[in-house]
Amino acid sequence: MPVTTLTWENNALRLIDQTQLPERLVYIECKDVETVAEAIESLRVRGAPAIGVAAAYGVVIGAQQAIAAGEDTDAGVRAAINRLSHTRPTAVNLFWALTRMENVLDGSAGSLPKAIRECLLREAHAIFAEDRKVCRQIGQNGAQLLKANTTVLTHCNAGGLATVDYGTALAVVYAASEAGKQVAVFADETRPLLQGSRLTAWELQQSGVDVTVICDNMAGAVLREKPIDSVIVGADRIAANGDVANKIGTYGLAILAREHNVPFYVAAPLSTVDLSLSNGGQIPIEERKSEEIIRGLGKQTAPQGVKVYNPAFDITPNGLVTAIVTEKGVATPPYEAAFRAWFDA
Ligand code: MRU
């Protein structure tokens, strides 16, 4: 079992500072909204579901700060929601969680400040608990897709560290392993921030899963030379038609999987599906600072002043996606019908 990514302790959000992994397992305590927002922006906490849970607790912290300062609780909470909504644009789980918190705030209008804070905390705890449950259901549903002895290729980190504690893509690996299957994983290192080699490799190693790290540009050769049975990745946002936004490099990997006749699976909670967007072209893609590429890995990795293009995510068209695994089941094309049936159920 991977470690728990974030917890609520002593009226504060305690989370693993993922920028320090795999060198150090360091926790930080967030006691104000700005610290939560900074943690999301700088990827101390990252991965779509984990961002949503962290933001939900960030809203509770906003209420606490307003109460401590003797300020209007409603206004303080709305300011917190506004600040947190401007941290990262792509993962829809952030906005999904903030909307839930805002609905609770609206529903507690006229209540005493402490009662508002209690309602918000209850909702944040519910989002936390649902994430744990949903990830296990995703694991169960996805594990059925894997053979008894199998090798999976993954990209970025859609593991316990990207959720409360079990992951989405890696939930499939954990659930299959727990069911007695032999699962080996190849992990793309995932440039520029190395979520694959730093985080996926770390948590799989901690959990005793057979993991091999490769550089991103090795995926084609690995798909041709190694017995890869499936590619499984997570998602930051899935449009109604099944187009998938995920970590930059996912699209290329999906094309490589198609070329090698390897199924390409996406594992994500329904909270990652955005039915308001008809296709992936409407998903906002975060662009990050050029320093991540110019001074990557703690050293100069490109000439100072050079032009850089650094999108954090890309869109994989639905036609390259073999199936989408959610807590409700495994959807195959056409995705929209399956999503709508699940949302309506
Ligand atoms: O920039 P990151 O590290 O937040 O990107 C994370 C991903 O792309 C994950 O694959 C995605 O959020 C799914 S996590 C279950």
Side-chain angles (χ1 to χ4, degrees):
M1 258 302 292
V3 293
T4 306
T5 303
L6 72 184
T7 49
W8 180 254
E9 283 175 40
N10 304 322
N11 299 327
L13 175 63
R14 184 171 188 261
L15 50 86
I16 296 176
D17 181 352
Q18 298 188 32
T19 63
Q20 304 284 326
L21 285 171
E23 236 177 324
R24 282 182 294 272
L25 178 57
V26 177
Y27 290 83
I28 54 169
E29 255 201 359
C30 306
K31 292 182 176 168
D32 56 72
V33 174
E34 195 47 41
T35 306
V36 179
E38 191 280 335
I40 295 172
E41 283 166 345
S42 59
L43 275 60
R44 299 183 200 289
V45 59
R46 31 68 51 205
I51 292 172
V53 179
Y57 284 118
V59 174
V60 180
I61 291 169
Q64 292 178 172
Q65 280 182 268
I67 292 169
E71 290 164 6
D72 182 66
T73 311
D74 187 275
V77 172
R78 287 190 201 281
I81 291 172
N82 184 49
R83 172 69 184 96
L84 292 162
S85 72
H86 286 89
T87 48
R88 299 190 74 191
T90 304
V92 75
N93 307 62
L94 171 69
F95 307 99
W96 169 85
L98 290 175
T99 301
R100 279 182 62 163
M101 298 304 283
E102 194 169 18
N103 289 342
V104 168
L105 180 68
D106 292 345
S108 55
S111 303
L112 291 171
K114 283 194 173 157
I116 296 175
R117 184 251 177 206
E118 280 311 303
C119 291
L120 292 171
L121 182 58
R122 208 174 308 125
E123 187 69 357
H125 283 331
I127 292 171
F128 177 97
E130 282 168 35
D131 182 79
R132 299 191 71 201
K133 187 170 166 215
V134 157
C135 286
R136 279 158 183 78
Q137 288 166 336
I138 291 171
Q140 293 297 323
N141 292 336
Q144 297 162 24
L145 299 167
L146 304 190
K147 298 187 302 188
N149 198 325
T150 194
T151 304
V152 169
L153 173 58
T154 192
H155 189 70
C156 194
N157 173 264
L161 288 166
T163 62
V164 170
D165 66 1
Y166 200 66
T168 59
L170 296 191
V172 176
V173 170
Y174 293 131
S177 303
E178 284 160 18
K181 297 185 182 183
Q182 286 297 318
V183 189
V185 177
F186 278 82
D188 279 354
E189 66 174 353
T190 316
R191 282 281 286 138
L193 297 179
L194 304 179
Q195 288 93 330
S197 56
R198 292 190 303 105
L199 309 177
T200 294
W202 181 81
E203 69 165 86
L204 289 176
Q205 201 179 53
Q206 296 279 312
S207 305
V209 176
D210 177 345
V211 57
T212 304
V213 173
I214 58 168
C215 299
D216 299 335
N217 52 3
M218 297 169 189
V222 166
L223 279 159
R224 193 173 57 199
E225 291 163 13
K226 303 285 182 190
I228 307 291
D229 299 300
S230 52
V231 174
I232 313 179
V233 299
D236 286 83
R237 197 185 295 222
I238 302 174
N241 70 346
D243 289 350
V244 173
N246 191 48
K247 179 52 56 193
I248 190 75
T250 302
Y251 172 43
L253 189 58
I255 293 172
L256 288 170
R258 170 62 54 91
E259 173 68 17
H260 293 88
N261 290 316
V262 172
F264 183 88
Y265 299 124
V266 174
L270 271 190
S271 54
T272 301
V273 176
D274 185 352
L275 286 183
S276 75
L277 304 184
S278 59
N279 65 74
Q282 297 163 357
I283 299 175
I285 299 293
E286 177 184 9
E287 267 194 55
R288 293 187 61 85
K289 291 187 193 132
S290 55
E291 288 91 273
E292 290 180 354
I293 289 173
I294 291 182
R295 286 201 65 82
L297 317 172
K299 63 174 296 204
Q300 192 88 33
T301 44
Q304 209 57 45
V306 75
K307 284 196 285 180
V308 163
Y309 176 48
N310 187 17
F313 303 97
D314 59 25
I315 305 293
T316 300
N318 57 16
L320 294 173
V321 179
T322 310
I324 298 178
V325 183
T326 75
E327 67 272 31
K328 299 283 188 189
V330 179
T332 50
Y335 293 111
E336 184 156 0
F339 293 156
R340 291 203 183 274
W342 283 335
F343 273 100
D344 291 347

